[in-house]
Amino acid sequence: MATDTHKTRLLKELKEIRDELFETARSIKPEEFEWHPRPGMKSAKALLQEIGATEKICLSVLAGGPKLEWEKAVRWSGDDLNSILKDLESIRQETLRYLDSLSDDDLHKPVAMPESWHQYTGPRLEPEEMLRWIARHEYYHLGQLIYNRWLLGYNPYKTEK
Ligand code: NI
């Protein structure tokens, strides 16, 4: 067996972060879901929605579709934890289908970015770079979610399950 392809490594990273996100999110009680520590900080619900909407918007651009608007990017199927996790899953399935359609070479063929993103991405970006950024973005907000939970008393270093 050859060493892992670039694609396999990307898939692994996306999956490991997603598994930790779901493990962290599954224990959220309904009364905790919209709690936020301070005004202007995101609740668990808002963090999860941010992760899903960002992934969907980035994927649309990568796949040659339109640049979706933030508020309308995802039609959430419900306001509760389970609905939002289910929506995150179906967004991820689209990402994986897209990734599956690429060869390792395709991963490095730059894709045109929307004008308003040029300040962050430049005019063109390799899919590999964007997919790594999606994973990094999710990990950033996962850290915030873990902290949100910790403020409610759920110490991530103590596994009392
Ligand atoms: Ni964000």
Side-chain angles (χ1 to χ4, degrees):
M1 196 56 198
T3 49
D4 279 357
T5 62
H6 205 154
K7 193 156 119 177
T8 313
R9 290 201 301 265
L10 264 178
L11 282 168
K12 186 169 171 233
E13 182 160 15
L14 285 165
K15 183 178 180 332
E16 282 181 359
I17 295 168
R18 179 50 60 90
D19 286 351
E20 192 176 348
L21 180 74
F22 272 44
E23 200 185 307
T24 305
R26 277 207 186 94
S27 64
I28 300 171
K29 299 189 175 90
E31 64 272 24
E32 296 166 341
F33 196 39
E34 298 198 39
W35 178 81
H36 49 94
R38 287 176 69 89
M41 288 180 80
K42 285 185 164 68
S43 63
K45 178 186 176 186
L47 290 168
L48 293 170
Q49 288 185 317
E50 151 115 25
I51 288 168
T54 301
E55 181 168 339
K56 174 122 187 181
I57 291 167
C58 289
L59 247 289
S60 176
V61 164
L62 270 188
K67 187 190 147 241
L68 303 171
E69 290 199 44
W70 179 253
E71 293 80 11
K72 297 182 218 149
V74 181
R75 199 170 292 137
W76 299 101
S77 58
D79 266 333
D80 59 298
L81 175 66
N82 281 336
S83 303
I84 289 172
L85 292 185
K86 223 176 332 128
D87 292 338
L88 284 186
E89 257 314 293
S90 53
I91 294 165
R92 177 53 53 89
Q93 287 315 311
E94 287 172 42
T95 303
L96 296 182
R97 265 199 299 278
Y98 166 79
L99 190 51
D100 201 47
S101 74
L102 301 182
S103 67
D104 258 29
D105 280 350
D106 294 333
L107 274 176
H108 301 289
K109 280 186 199 137
V111 172
M113 291 291 115
E115 185 91 41
S116 57
W117 288 10
H118 289 187
Q119 52 178 321
Y120 312 111
T121 59
R124 287 145 67 80
L125 195 67
E126 295 178 12
E128 185 269 345
E129 179 80 27
M130 176 82 95
L131 289 159
R132 253 186 318 111
W133 184 81
I134 290 171
R136 200 158 76 222
H137 179 257
E138 182 162 326
Y139 205 48
Y140 173 82
H141 289 298
L142 167 60
Q144 294 182 329
L145 180 63
I146 290 170
Y147 215 87
N148 175 296
R149 305 290 296 139
W150 203 345
L151 289 167
L152 288 170
Y154 302 99
N155 182 338
Y157 298 106
K158 282 189 199 151
T159 46
E160 34 191 315
K161 283 181 183 154

